[in-house]
Amino acid sequence: MRQKIVAGNWKMHKTLEESQALITEIRGLVRDEYRGQGKVVIAPTFLSLPSAVRLVEGTEISISAQNAHYEDHGAFTGEISVPMLKSIGVQYAIIGHSERRQYFGETNTVLAAKAKSVIRHGLTVMFCVGETLEQRESKQYFRVIEEQVSQGLFGLDRKEFSHVVIAYEPVWAIGTGLTASPEQAQEIHAYIRKLVAAQYTAEIADQTSILYGGSVKPENATSIFMQPDIDGGLIGGAALKARDFIDIVKAMR
Ligand code: PGA
């Protein structure tokens, strides 16, 4: 059975103190209100990770980094490696978010190395793919998604691939208030699953969690998560409000 996941990507928001307050609030709401079997993941900034891990100890919530370097250590000023994340109890890492691709020039080749490192150290990678508005309008989106998935992930062997979660996040829907319709998202999710089946096996494809991201809110979460190939969401803006986030978590059944 593939796992349902709702993950909150806090991006560059919240000081240490604010992060602790928000995690504490989310933790209480998950405990009191969420009865499903899905997984809840929170990705605060690097600075807040150690305290976030401590705050969710003994709960159903896991903590994710938003990025990681592909080398274990070395002269890479300002970077954080996967063994460092692992040493404090981080279990997931988001790799390939469109903001990393767009503003920090991360290519499929770099992202493939990052994904490999995350998995080599026993963490789960949440690997993001998604087309820009221009690519959608010029009907290149299938090709773009195929390239991102295959170049980013298909260097992994079958065993490694079992630690991959894919997030489809159309760039035109991130932080814009525009959401892909449930049908548009389902179309791409089914396509990604087909690519995984062709590269690995139908069984592996069936076990792979594929999340949707891009302006998911409490109002649209249920209709998106109801789609057969959508296994939850990667949430940006709405993850910064405990009430909205828990309502999205509750839409995961
Ligand atoms: P959004 O961001 O929910 O604010 O659109 C999603 C993301 O970037 O992961």
Side-chain angles (χ1 to χ4, degrees), residues 5-7 34 215-222 225 232-239 241-253:
I5 302 170
V6 164
Y34 185 54
S215 300
V216 178
K217 307 179 211 56
E219 304 82 62
N220 59 23
T222 303
F225 296 172
L234 182 53
I235 320 300
K241 293 191 201 106
R243 183 74 257 162
D244 285 359
F245 187 62
I246 184 71
D247 285 344
I248 296 170
V249 166
K250 284 160 74 179
M252 161 175 69
R253 302 225 172 79

Side-chain angles (χ1 to χ4, degrees), residues 45-114:
T45 68
F46 282 130
L47 263 187
S48 298
L49 287 174
S51 92
V53 168
R54 280 195 296 276
L55 285 170
V56 302
E57 239 166 42
T59 74
E60 293 303 300
I61 304 172
S62 297
I63 298 298
S64 174
Q66 300 174 16
N67 180 30
H69 198 269
Y70 52 82
E71 292 289 353
D72 290 356
H73 47 76
F76 300 101
T77 302
E79 291 292 313
I80 304 276
S81 74
V82 182
M84 294 170 188
L85 296 170
K86 185 180 171 145
S87 73
I88 61 159
V90 170
Q91 290 177 288
Y92 290 76
I94 298 172
I95 297 293
H97 191 280
S98 63
E99 288 149 17
R100 299 294 320 170
R101 295 175 187 263
Q102 198 178 336
Y103 305 135
F104 301 96
E106 296 191 359
T107 61
N108 288 328
T109 313
V110 164
L111 296 172
K114 290 185 168 201

Side-chain angles (χ1 to χ4, degrees), residues 193-202 205:
R193 209 177 294 288
K194 219 174 73 186
L195 294 173
V196 174
Q199 176 69 21
Y200 299 98
T201 65

